Amino acid sequence: MQVNENFEPVIVAFCCNWCSYAGADLSGTNRLNYPSNVKIIRVPCSCRVNPMFILRAFQKGADGVIICGCHPGDCHYTSGNYFTRRRITLLYSMLDFLGIERNRTRLEWVSAAEGAKFAATMEQFTADVKALGPNRRLEDLRCRKQ
Amino acid sequence: MQEAMIKRAKELLADGSVDRVIGWKRGEFAYDMTPAVFTSAEELDSEFIFDDFTSANVSKYLVKETAKEGKILAFLKPCDTYSFNQLIKEHRIDRDKVYVIGIPGGPKLDIEKIKAKGITGILSVKNEDYTLKIETLYGEETMPFSEAILDKCASCKSKKHVVYDELIGEDGDVLDSNRFDMVEKLENMTAQERFDFWRDQLSKCIRCNACRNVCPACTCENCVFDNPKSGIDNKAPADSFEENMFHIIRAFHVAGRCTDCGECSRVCPQHIPLHLLNRKFIKDINELYGEYQAGADTTSRAPLNTYTKDDCEPSIVHERGVE
Amino acid sequence: MQRIGVFVCHCGTNIAATVDVKAVAEALGHEPGVVISQDYQYMCSESGQELVKNAIREQKLTGVVICSCSPRMHENTFRKAAASAGLNPYLVEIANIREQCSWIHKEVANATDKAIILGKAAVAKVHLNTPLNSMESPVVKRALVIGGGIAGIQTALDIAEAGFDVDIVEKQPTIGGKMAQIDKTFPTLDCAACILTPKMVEASQNERITIHSFSEVEDVKGFVGNFTVKIRKKARFVDETKCTGCGLCTEKCPMKKVPNEFNLGLDNRSAIYIPFAQAVPKVATIDPNYCMMMKTGKCGVCSKVCSVGAIDYKQQDTIIEQQYGAIVVATGFNPINLDKYDEFAYNQCPDVVTSLELERLMNAAGPNGGTLLRPSDKSHPHTIVFVQCVGSRCDDEKGKPYCSKICCMYTAKHAMLIREKYPDTEVYVFYIDVRTPGKNFDEFYRRAVEQYNVHYIKGMVGKVTPKSDGKIDVQASDLLANEQLHIDADMVVLAAAIEPDKTARPLATMLTTQMDTNDFFTEAHPKLRPVESATAGIFLSGACQGPKDIPETVAQGSAAAAKAIGLLCKNSITCNPCVAHSDELMCNGCSSCEKVCPYGAITYIDKEFRMPDRTTKVRRVASVNPAVCQGCGACTVACPSGAMDLNGFSNSQIMAEVDAICK
Amino acid sequence: MLKISKSKLNELFDAVSAKQTLYIPADREAGAAEYRKYEKGMELTSELNTVRSAKDFFFPQTENLADFKIEGKTIEVKDVREECEDFVVFGVRACDARSFTILDKVFLCEPVDSFYKNRRDHGTVVTMACTRPSETCFCQTFGIDPTVPEGDAACFDDGENIFFKANNEKGQKFIDSVASLLEEGDTSKLDEVQAKTKAIMEKLPLAKLSTENFGGDKLNEYFSSDKWAELSQACLGCGTCTFVCPTCQCYDIKDFNTGHGIKRFRCWDSCMYSDFTKMAHGNPRLTQLERFRQRFMHKLVYFPANNDGEFGCVGCGRCLSKCPISMNIVKVMKALEVK
């Protein structure tokens, strides 16, 4: 695959307030660098992430979307991430079924203590999306940046 | 069959057990039956029809019908009973207001398949020992019955009625159908091939909403695609993205609720195999979370409304099949 | 028209070193709706907050965006500041440009660009923020404890001690639970009754405690601070208020062949009975399945001998309705049923008993008056084999996957007591592991081995076979010696696994609390919230949450009480306003949301709607109780019509953020 | 009459498409044809008609009307109108050809819809006479002769040759542009084919359907007919009939936020939809019965009342074959007709 060195992907990360957002804060506190392509949106729980949000991100110009939540069993709301896991598994499977590149979407469990994991995950995900190049299969041409 | 149905419907109307009957009404041609509500013996005698073309699933109409006063008799084919049950489960139908008579299922015929053979000017279609004798303005044509079967019937999942008050004819069994074959075929393609396949199909979409409006799982008071507050409302596929989004979200919203009745693909004026999207979810659910048939009962928890602690991770999507 | 203020914090050099804060303020100043955009050294300082407050007042701001550290740090600070300046606190949004920007990026240009985008997302979101007001919900100053075992008693006593009324609902005729059946307790070997019965009496005499014995919870409605509970007081055919517990009726009752539940069926009781001498309340109960009067209408002896006229054969169940602020579940455990364990001949041989049965056999108030005799022939047993982990740590469907936790210790206790009292008896214990974590536990176990010469054998018992001479052949393997053993035993004692009370499952549904696959109640957090259920106002005490010994149970009982007291102390609870709400016009009443709500916050109501054609239609629609909802948002995605939305994180707000980030 | 042998038709297509964009009805799959941009070697369909009508060429499903560029707090309006390039649509049937006349009445009356006019001015419609009408055809009900179609130029198929006839100047220009490929031919066989087709027309199941009792003067009777409830009962409220209809011309105008600006576009709308013409106060037609009635009243009563008796239907039969529940204008006319 050709990698465009100048391509800077837009990456949206949905992080649950209690674990992953805190984990992201921790990687900041520990000054662990990860690419600035990643922009975080805070949600109360990963189960708040509606498939509409993910599609919307791709429509409006995102090249990759990652969802982060508490590890299964650790959900602040006891069961939220279990629902997330099913919903997102099915959604990602459907995107794959439609031929959308698998590496554009990801879900990772990141606890509040895993600052290093958060940074490493974002580093890896950004690299994967970069390798894929711009999102073309699930983009809205009207939104393409001129 | 038709006679037995009319007879029973008239009896139930006469003894006051039901006030209305929902079934199919004959049309202008051999194949254009309209779902209809009958209230008298005369109407039943003159207009009620049940034959190889009465394929429409009438269960969704019962949402509207059971909101009215009185009781309605519904003739349900096996596949329709699944939709009916699912609607009961979601509190959309008042079970007490429906008297269900289970009737045999298909296979039903697809007029479009007959027309696709170049047969036009169709005046009548007769099934003689599984050969269709088609009288047309341009002479008589024949074709095998098997080649004119509706897609949804060709991959029938069940001949069993999952709910009824009485049956006319025999009840059948849940079938070991081949309905996931095409999904599997697509799964085994490369991502690029799948993308090309779906782009070709979904680009045909004219967003007429027939698939949504016929779907027994789509009974929302106000669909997100019609609701400006939802942020994703739209009326036309103004971009290929919107074609994708509509069908992904629709499939997702009925995931775990779709009974695979096949109406979406039957009514699509552009012949988009929309049922494949729903079947993909059904296949995934069966494989990842255990066999589940929406509408088979009214009490089990829908797979997306439940979980187990050792469910697979979404990364399974990245690990299996072909990229 | 929105009037939004943007305030960019330098955080000393924490932000300003890598983010060009002036450029951020400048860029965000051009965003639609932004009327003021400023930067400042320390926005969280007194003077920084003053800057925000003044701007709110002077510019008549309708929304505030603070670009600063993580909202986890100072969101509350700025919300309070906004509130003090007259702006609804929920009209404040934080753009995290420190932890998620300046601290992780090194290049100024890069970090500044990202900070601007994060700021734009916050501005886009705040455009759609709506004022939210925290609801206050009053707290009923009364607690309900379900279950009157040691856990429930301890919880009730502690709550009453704190000055709150508390009711105990116990389904048996007496409180006391399993502990009342136990002879001695480990590792101190003091008598269970001696330490339990004073507590039972204390509970009955405490004027703040009401005991509803022989009663069950029928229905629970409401939410934290305001539960309405229906309690069914089952008919005991004896007027509780009149009965003095003299026991004359139980002596005179001609029907004496009723298996005695309290002694686990090892002896009999009469049809009218008091479970045991120290029962609380000490009131007789008629068992209608055996009472001749109830069955045939001929007898009436108890009625004749009762001097206070307490007998009432026509008594009916009564329903009490009561309101509570907090509910504590203390439904306890039972040993599992051993019917499926044919290999241990439990059903075939009366001399194969469970540990709890052994407790009764050894108890002074038990069937043998405290002398350990074989149930079959009342002879003194000389060889006793204990089998550990019967149904515990088990992979098959017969047993339980977990460790029952208490068996190792009570078996050591039994072995020791037997060796102490009957030194001529040989005691064998077959175990997989001996688990003795706990204060003085391992010392206790070692005493059994070293001082009392109990034969501990690591190995499994394969088969227990009663023999014709009355002995029992125990076939086992000694894993350490690697040999097969046959022991001619007189008695075999099975350490049956314990399981949560099966009848608690419908209760869990009523309480909208969760149970795990083993039917133990699930705590809100396994480490940090061990005595709370996920449902606010419902607390967990004792073995209903997991296997526990007495000290742990009592500790948890008190902990649950402390949590309940903490709630009851408040006059009202302030609810988080970031909760879900349903648009009734769009709701289909399909119940998807209810199914995914971990708190049972969603109920359905039949609501009348005016239809477009001016008719009316009654439709089932979801209704969220804001006092119960915790705002996770699971329901918003389960809802296909989009009727369900979440305050503070609405669909449109999140999509606005997405748009701002992606553009 | 000038003709070309059918075997040479592709040469003609090649010649036309070399100069301007050419669209022809081609098979998408068995039994389903659609207009496609001609590419070398593409075959003309054997289907009678396309699934979607030809109205898309002049009134596409979505069309950008204006762009707004937002820069900070200023909005700049950008005119996106561009002169359309010349194109030819070949093989349009008589029914669809008539639909352009109907659409013209809507879009070309004052104020003229410049987007529509632009396309209309630059498009040449070459029609094709029908030889094998389907049972769903009822164009004759609306006075259309499918053997002599309208359009800028008309083509006639005698089985071996395609004959060309100009109906106007634009049509003549088209024929002139391909004159080198055409030759004068004998039309006797064509006359036979036409006679045969006319005979079939007589035998069509809907041949007797008449508009005689419809039109603007029956407004009250039809509006308050008690038949509407029964007719609309099974209607799903989808837009299939509207979207396959060659004459339905309603549209909605919406704004789309692209992230860097706003695109104002119009898209087809359907009077069958519950949110059609929804305004601040709600929807003027509250029930599906009213919406269903609107569609057919418009075609059979309001439109002729406002357009010199011209009905809003051309009898193409698309809604007859595509309605998911097989309810259509024919059933409505038959049920409703007041003699």
Side-chain angles (χ1 to χ4, degrees):
Chain A
M1 185 173 286
Q2 265 200 330
V3 180
N4 180 354
E5 286 301 324
N6 298 323
F7 167 57
E8 288 298 340
V10 175
I11 289 171
V12 178
F14 292 99
C15 292
C16 88
N17 183 44
W18 305 98
C19 288
S20 308
Y21 194 88
D25 278 356
L26 184 63
S27 46
T29 312
N30 292 343
R31 310 298 197 275
L32 300 171
N33 187 35
Y34 59 84
S36 61
N37 308 66
V38 177
K39 314 286 189 301
I40 295 171
I41 292 178
R42 186 166 66 126
V43 286
C45 175
S46 57
C47 71
R48 177 67 188 92
V49 179
N50 196 310
M52 291 191 319
F53 304 159
I54 298 166
L55 295 183
R56 174 80 156 217
F58 284 122
Q59 177 180 30
K60 294 297 172 92
D63 300 293
V65 176
I66 180 165
I67 298 169
C68 298
C70 307
H71 285 271
D74 288 349
C75 176
H76 177 79
Y77 306 99
T78 68
S79 54
N81 52 4
Y82 289 122
F83 291 117
T84 309
R85 188 159 63 175
R86 283 204 170 188
R87 290 166 182 167
I88 299 303
T89 301
L90 288 183
L91 179 76
Y92 287 179
S93 176
M94 179 56 77
L95 294 180
D96 177 53
F97 190 60
L98 291 172
I100 312 305
E101 303 94 332
R102 294 171 174 185
N103 283 346
R104 290 205 189 278
T105 51
R106 190 159 302 174
L107 180 141
E108 284 292 339
W109 311 121
V110 180
S111 81
E114 294 174 323
K117 182 181 178 183
F118 187 87
T121 302
M122 294 305 152
E123 187 85 50
Q124 183 59 49
F125 185 59
T126 309
D128 289 350
V129 175
K130 224 172 189 170
L132 286 174
N135 164 35
R136 290 287 174 256
R137 292 184 185 173
L138 203 54
E139 76 167 338
D140 192 319
L141 272 174
R142 298 170 296 178
C143 302
R144 195 186 274 194
K145 292 171 193 78
Q146 282 102 5
Chain B
M1 182 52 54
Q2 180 183 314
E3 276 62 48
M5 288 162 71
I6 294 175
K7 180 166 169 278
R8 192 67 189 113
K10 286 201 284 192
E11 283 166 14
L12 289 165
L13 271 180
D15 70 14
S17 310
V18 300
D19 305 284
R20 306 183 301 284
V21 180
I22 186 159
W24 304 264
K25 187 173 172 173
R26 58 182 84 247
E28 290 296 315
F29 312 115
Y31 52 80
D32 62 335
M33 291 75 185
T34 301
V37 175
F38 303 84
T39 51
S40 70
E42 295 71 43
E43 284 172 8
L44 285 164
D45 277 330
S46 61
E47 293 179 319
F48 186 93
I49 184 163
F50 183 73
D51 69 3
D52 290 337
F53 286 104
T54 48
S55 53
N57 177 354
V58 298
S59 54
K60 187 179 183 178
Y61 289 108
L62 296 169
V63 175
K64 204 166 59 178
E65 288 299 326
T66 57
K68 297 177 185 164
E69 291 286 307
K71 195 157 177 167
I72 187 159
L73 162 61
F75 288 108
L76 300 181
K77 304 188 293 297
C79 46
D80 307 344
T81 61
Y82 286 83
S83 311
F84 180 78
N85 246 3
Q86 184 64 24
L87 286 163
I88 299 273
K89 186 171 175 172
E90 293 174 8
H91 307 275
R92 304 296 285 151
I93 287 180
D94 184 348
R95 178 70 179 89
D96 296 339
K97 286 185 173 174
V98 193
Y99 188 82
V100 177
I101 296 188
I103 49 168
K108 299 285 178 189
L109 295 176
D110 185 351
I111 188 64
E112 305 256 318
K113 286 205 171 154
I114 298 173
K115 290 185 173 177
K117 294 267 174 193
I119 300 171
T120 186
I122 297 167
L123 300 173
S124 73
V125 181
K126 285 196 185 70
N127 174 10
E128 284 176 13
D129 211 15
Y130 293 97
T131 296
L132 296 180
K133 294 258 156 71
I134 304 152
E135 191 196 336
T136 81
L137 289 166
Y138 307 100
E140 195 181 271
E141 306 264 5
T142 59
M143 73 181 281
F145 184 91
S146 59
E147 287 176 22
I149 291 175
L150 272 172
D151 283 340
K152 69 169 184 169
C153 297
S155 54
C156 177
K157 64 180 179 293
S158 174
K159 298 267 184 208
K160 182 180 154 65
H161 296 84
V162 289
V163 57
Y164 57 83
D165 294 306
E166 69 177 78
L167 283 176
I168 296 183
E170 295 284 300
D171 201 9
D173 295 316
V174 174
L175 304 179
D176 194 13
S177 82
N178 55 355
R179 60 187 175 133
F180 298 120
D181 289 2
M182 186 58 195
V183 175
E184 208 166 302
K185 199 176 146 195
L186 281 160
E187 285 170 347
N188 290 326
M189 291 179 180
T190 65
Q192 183 67 51
E193 285 168 337
R194 280 197 297 273
F195 179 75
D196 294 341
F197 172 86
W198 282 111
R199 202 75 296 288
D200 183 45
Q201 291 297 341
L202 295 179
S203 65
K204 295 192 283 188
C205 177
I206 56 172
R207 266 306 291 283
C208 62
N209 291 317
C211 52
R212 179 192 73 183
N213 290 16
V214 81
C215 175
C218 277
T219 62
C220 282
E221 294 292 323
N222 193 351
C223 175
V224 288
F225 288 103
D226 291 347
N227 182 357
K229 278 193 217 160
S230 75
I232 58 164
D233 65 309
N234 59 25
K235 276 187 175 167
D239 185 273
S240 63
F241 175 85
E242 290 189 328
E243 292 159 0
N244 290 336
M245 179 173 71
F246 176 77
H247 293 289
I248 295 171
I249 295 288
R250 205 185 85 75
F252 190 82
H253 279 180
V254 301
R257 304 167 55 231
C258 166
T259 65
D260 200 5
C261 76
E263 286 285 88
C264 46
S265 293
R266 179 180 73 82
V267 302
C268 178
Q270 294 282 66
H271 297 165
I272 305 172
L274 294 165
H275 65 281
L276 292 178
L277 297 174
N278 302 321
R279 274 194 193 156
K280 168 64 179 165
F281 274 142
I282 295 170
K283 184 168 178 283
D284 275 350
I285 287 167
N286 285 347
E287 286 172 2
L288 302 175
Y289 309 124
E291 291 280 324
Y292 180 84
Q293 172 59 53
D297 64 81
T298 56
T299 50
S300 62
R301 269 179 103 114
L304 276 173
N305 291 344
T306 187
Y307 60 86
T308 66
K309 289 187 175 170
D310 41 16
D311 280 344
C312 61
E313 295 293 329
S315 54
I316 195 165
V317 174
H318 300 246
E319 286 150 12
R320 62 178 181 176
V322 187
E323 162 77 71
Chain C
M1 191 60 199
Q2 291 277 9
R3 297 181 60 80
I4 294 162
V6 176
F7 303 91
V8 186
C9 180
H10 298 206
C11 197
T13 56
N14 276 305
I15 294 172
T18 32
V19 169
D20 181 346
V21 282
K22 298 247 181 264
V24 174
E26 164 73 18
L28 296 180
H30 294 302
E31 283 296 288
V34 175
V35 292
I36 179 169
S37 186
Q38 296 179 312
D39 60 286
Y40 190 71
Q41 202 74 23
Y42 286 103
M43 211 52 90
C44 62
S45 68
E46 271 310 310
S47 43
Q49 291 187 49
E50 231 15 79
L51 188 79
V52 177
K53 289 189 216 170
N54 286 337
I56 291 172
R57 293 192 201 98
E58 287 161 15
Q59 298 282 339
K60 296 188 172 40
L61 297 184
T62 59
V64 167
V65 169
I66 315 274
C67 302
S68 62
C69 55
S70 171
R72 297 170 56 82
M73 190 76 90
H74 276 307
E75 188 170 53
N76 260 336
T77 311
F78 293 113
R79 278 183 175 167
K80 276 184 193 153
S84 73
L87 185 72
N88 184 289
Y90 292 91
L91 298 173
V92 176
E93 284 297 329
I94 311 286
N96 184 342
I97 62 164
R98 191 179 77 174
E99 282 85 345
Q100 295 179 3
C101 191
S102 70
W103 278 356
I104 44 170
H105 306 309
K106 297 193 180 80
E107 284 173 46
V108 174
N110 223 1
T112 305
D113 282 352
K114 177 166 168 179
I116 291 170
I117 291 172
L118 294 177
K120 283 181 176 176
V123 171
K125 185 180 182 191
V126 90
H127 264 280
L128 299 162
N129 281 24
T130 48
L132 300 176
N133 295 306
S134 302
M135 232 184 60
E136 297 273 315
S137 156
V139 177
V140 176
K141 308 239 169 222
R142 189 181 190 96
L144 172 67
V145 176
I146 305 171
I150 182 61
I153 293 170
Q154 183 65 41
T155 304
L157 284 171
D158 286 350
I159 295 173
E161 186 71 17
F164 297 103
D165 290 332
V166 50
D167 295 357
I168 299 176
V169 170
E170 168 58 52
K171 66 179 173 180
Q172 300 297 336
T174 173
I175 60 169
K178 291 287 175 299
M179 189 175 168
Q181 291 173 287
I182 294 172
D183 185 37
K184 298 266 188 328
T185 58
F186 60 78
T188 47
L189 295 182
D190 42 357
C191 147
C194 309
I195 53 176
L196 173 68
T197 49
K199 281 205 174 273
M200 290 162 64
V201 174
E202 206 186 322
S204 75
Q205 289 178 346
N206 192 315
E207 37 183 55
R208 292 209 171 272
I209 298 180
T210 309
I211 297 171
H212 298 296
S213 63
F214 211 49
S215 300
E216 287 182 38
V217 171
E218 182 103 345
D219 184 40
V220 181
K221 289 219 158 55
F223 51 90
V224 54
N226 201 353
F227 296 102
T228 304
V229 180
K230 279 189 187 145
I231 299 163
R232 174 178 293 272
K233 263 184 112 65
K234 295 178 280 188
R236 64 201 313 165
F237 308 106
V238 173
D239 187 336
E240 261 181 73
T241 58
K242 289 183 187 160
C243 178
T244 61
C246 71
L248 195 58
C249 53
T250 65
E251 280 170 38
K252 301 290 180 196
C253 175
M255 180 63 212
K256 290 223 160 23
K257 292 236 168 108
V258 185
N260 184 354
E261 300 88 347
F262 185 71
N263 281 335
L264 303 162
L266 292 164
D267 65 354
N268 290 330
R269 61 162 169 82
S270 47
I272 183 163
Y273 67 106
I274 297 171
F276 57 97
Q278 299 91 341
V280 169
K282 197 166 181 197
V283 175
T285 305
I286 295 180
D287 186 337
N289 295 321
Y290 292 95
C291 171
M292 302 304 288
M293 187 65 189
M294 307 277 288
K295 287 175 75 176
T296 64
K298 291 184 194 123
C299 183
V301 171
C302 50
S303 176
K304 284 174 206 134
V305 301
C306 182
S307 56
V308 293
I311 310 293
D312 174 5
Y313 298 115
K314 298 227 159 61
Q315 199 178 57
Q316 299 281 319
D317 290 4
T318 49
I319 304 281
I320 307 168
E321 194 172 294
Q322 183 65 260
Q323 296 204 296
Y324 300 99
I327 298 177
V328 182
V329 183
T331 46
F333 72 97
N334 283 307
I336 62 165
N337 184 313
L338 294 179
D339 286 352
K340 286 181 188 152
Y341 287 86
D342 278 342
E343 64 267 38
F344 297 130
Y346 175 72
N347 279 340
Q348 289 79 31
C349 178
D351 298 329
V352 178
V353 298
T354 66
S355 301
L356 192 58
E357 285 165 355
L358 184 71
E359 294 279 355
R360 296 315 302 154
L361 289 172
M362 291 168 67
N363 188 281
N368 302 326
T371 311
L372 177 59
L373 300 172
R374 304 209 315 167
S376 59
D377 56 6
K378 304 285 176 198
S379 69
H380 175 61
H382 293 280
T383 306
I384 301 179
V385 172
F386 286 86
V387 184
Q388 298 301 91
C389 292
V390 177
S392 296
R393 305 171 69 193
C394 198
D395 292 331
D396 61 35
E397 280 182 12
K398 286 198 293 189
K400 304 290 175 185
Y402 50 84
C403 167
S404 294
K405 198 170 185 178
I406 55 175
C407 324
C408 286
M409 288 306 292
Y410 70 57
T411 300
K413 174 191 78 178
H414 290 152
M416 209 185 279
L417 287 170
I418 291 168
R419 291 281 299 155
E420 167 88 29
K421 215 167 168 187
Y422 313 103
D424 61 335
T425 306
E426 290 299 322
V427 175
Y428 298 88
V429 178
F430 285 93
Y431 66 95
I432 307 175
D433 300 296
V434 177
R435 297 183 166 181
T436 57
K439 192 172 168 184
N440 295 328
F441 281 16
D442 203 60
E443 296 92 318
F444 184 79
Y445 154 66
R446 286 209 310 271
R447 257 168 68 208
V449 179
E450 290 160 12
Q451 200 176 324
Y452 288 91
N453 292 318
V454 177
H455 308 297
Y456 268 81
I457 302 169
K458 185 175 176 76
M460 314 282 282
V461 171
K463 193 150 180 62
V464 173
T465 321
K467 299 202 293 187
S468 51
D469 62 357
K471 290 269 185 183
I472 305 165
D473 175 48
V474 178
Q475 185 193 333
S477 52
D478 181 335
L479 290 177
L480 296 179
N482 195 19
E483 59 186 16
Q484 289 291 314
L485 300 174
H486 279 275
I487 296 171
D488 250 3
D490 297 309
M491 272 184 86
V492 173
V493 183
L494 306 176
I498 60 170
E499 63 180 2
D501 192 308
K502 284 218 164 88
T503 56
R505 183 152 273 281
L507 185 68
T509 312
M510 278 187 249
L511 295 168
T512 67
T513 48
Q514 292 176 316
M515 279 182 154
D516 62 21
T517 46
N518 296 309
D519 281 3
F520 285 114
F521 281 86
T522 307
E523 61 281 8
H525 192 283
K527 288 118 202 162
L528 303 176
R529 298 171 69 195
V531 297
E532 294 158 80
S533 79
T535 305
I538 311 271
F539 305 97
L540 308 175
S541 172
C544 68
Q545 178 262 345
K548 278 179 194 64
D549 60 22
I550 294 167
E552 268 190 293
T553 298
V554 172
Q556 210 205 12
S558 288
K563 283 285 169 189
I565 293 163
L567 168 60
L568 296 177
C569 278
K570 295 177 185 162
N571 289 325
S572 62
I573 0 180
T574 307
C575 313
N576 167 22
C578 293
V579 293
H581 59 90
S582 156
D583 184 333
E584 290 170 339
L585 288 173
M586 282 190 251
C587 174
N588 309 320
C590 73
S591 286
S592 288
C593 52
E594 177 205 22
K595 297 267 174 12
V596 300
C597 179
Y599 308 103
I602 302 167
T603 50
Y604 290 85
I605 49 170
D606 284 329
K607 191 161 171 150
E608 193 174 274
F609 289 91
R610 226 172 103 90
M611 295 309 287
D613 56 2
R614 287 164 201 89
T615 57
T616 56
K617 182 176 163 191
V618 176
R619 263 198 311 115
R620 174 190 150 91
V621 290
S623 160
V624 180
N625 187 327
V628 183
C629 175
Q630 303 289 309
C632 67
C635 54
T636 61
V637 183
C639 176
S641 70
M644 208 46 101
D645 210 346
L646 188 64
N647 286 340
F649 295 94
S650 70
N651 286 335
S652 55
Q653 284 174 315
I654 296 174
M655 284 198 273
E657 286 180 272
V658 169
D659 289 0
I661 285 172
C662 295
K663 78 179 177 193
Chain D
M1 217 189 288
L2 286 174
K3 64 149 197 179
I4 188 168
S5 157
K6 280 173 92 171
S7 60
K8 288 187 175 167
L9 193 56
N10 273 55
E11 287 176 31
L12 181 133
F13 291 159
D14 291 340
V16 176
S17 65
K19 282 179 242 153
Q20 50 190 316
T21 313
L22 168 67
Y23 298 93
I24 65 164
D27 283 335
R28 162 160 216 126
E29 61 204 38
E34 65 176 10
Y35 285 100
R36 294 189 148 187
K37 188 170 165 187
Y38 177 79
E39 277 160 23
K40 206 164 169 64
M42 193 181 275
E43 293 280 331
L44 197 66
T45 180
S46 57
E47 291 294 318
L48 175 67
N49 215 341
T50 51
V51 176
R52 295 174 68 169
S53 83
K55 77 175 170 191
D56 300 47
F57 291 109
F58 307 113
F59 175 44
Q61 184 159 16
T62 64
E63 184 169 27
N64 200 11
L65 302 180
D67 282 356
F68 304 98
K69 190 126 183 83
I70 302 171
E71 215 48 86
K73 287 162 192 167
T74 59
I75 300 180
E76 179 198 340
V77 185
K78 280 172 92 179
D79 193 340
V80 294
R81 273 176 290 196
E82 283 172 7
E83 200 65 13
C84 170
E85 282 176 16
D86 286 344
F87 65 95
V88 175
V89 191
F90 182 90
V92 176
R93 295 295 182 183
C95 45
D96 282 6
R98 172 66 66 84
S99 79
F100 303 144
T101 319
I102 292 168
L103 294 177
D104 286 349
K105 286 185 191 292
V106 177
F107 290 115
L108 298 184
C109 71
E110 285 299 326
V112 171
D113 185 305
S114 54
F115 292 87
Y116 177 85
K117 185 169 186 299
N118 184 12
R119 289 192 157 87
R120 204 73 175 93
D121 289 346
H122 288 276
T124 303
V125 175
V126 182
T127 54
M128 176 69 84
C130 300
T131 53
R132 266 168 77 87
S134 155
E135 74 278 6
T136 54
C137 289
F138 58 108
C139 58
Q140 47 190 335
T141 302
F142 301 99
I144 297 167
D145 182 349
T147 62
V148 190
E150 296 163 2
D152 299 317
C155 295
F156 307 86
D157 182 354
D158 75 351
E160 283 164 15
N161 302 294
I162 303 283
F163 291 83
F164 287 82
K165 184 180 143 237
N167 288 336
N168 59 27
E169 216 173 290
K170 211 195 244 177
Q172 190 58 53
K173 216 171 131 196
F174 169 78
I175 293 173
D176 292 346
S177 74
V178 291
S180 59
L181 293 165
L182 305 179
E183 55 186 353
E184 201 59 43
D186 171 22
T187 59
S188 56
K189 191 152 173 238
L190 182 63
D191 296 339
E192 263 173 55
V193 169
Q194 281 187 340
K196 222 162 137 190
T197 308
K198 286 209 155 91
I200 291 283
M201 301 280 299
E202 298 282 303
K203 286 194 273 178
L204 286 177
L206 304 176
K208 299 282 173 290
L209 191 70
S210 159
T211 58
E212 195 185 336
N213 292 305
F214 291 91
D217 52 336
K218 295 268 179 34
L219 196 148
N220 285 333
E221 286 107 302
Y222 288 133
F223 188 86
S224 47
S225 166
D226 56 5
K227 293 284 192 331
W228 292 114
E230 195 190 326
L231 288 166
S232 64
Q233 194 178 50
C235 178
L236 299 172
C238 76
T240 309
C241 53
T242 335
F243 290 177
V244 297
C245 179
T247 69
C248 272
Q249 72 286 110
C250 292
Y251 60 84
D252 193 8
I253 296 180
K254 295 176 93 74
D255 288 348
F256 175 78
N257 184 351
T258 64
H260 38 78
I262 304 287
K263 279 201 181 300
R264 174 159 294 174
F265 67 105
R266 72 168 160 200
C267 61
W268 294 351
D269 203 347
S270 171
C271 53
M272 292 296 207
Y273 287 167
S274 57
D275 56 350
F276 180 73
T277 63
K278 194 168 184 173
M279 289 168 269
H281 81 287
N283 192 324
R285 284 181 283 276
L286 301 163
T287 62
Q288 197 56 33
L289 183 153
E290 291 163 275
R291 300 190 274 271
F292 181 93
R293 178 174 62 194
Q294 166 64 21
R295 181 160 194 274
F296 296 104
M297 285 296 284
H298 188 209
K299 293 201 178 299
L300 298 170
V301 180
Y302 309 147
F303 200 83
N306 295 326
N307 294 281
D308 314 318
E310 181 89 68
F311 287 89
C313 175
V314 293
C316 70
R318 285 188 176 88
C319 55
L320 275 65
S321 46
K322 290 299 178 187
C323 174
I325 54 114
S326 298
M327 177 47 66
N328 51 56
I329 193 163
V330 171
K331 289 184 180 178
V332 169
M333 285 170 77
K334 288 193 170 181
L336 218 55
E337 191 166 20
V338 185
K339 292 254 155 84

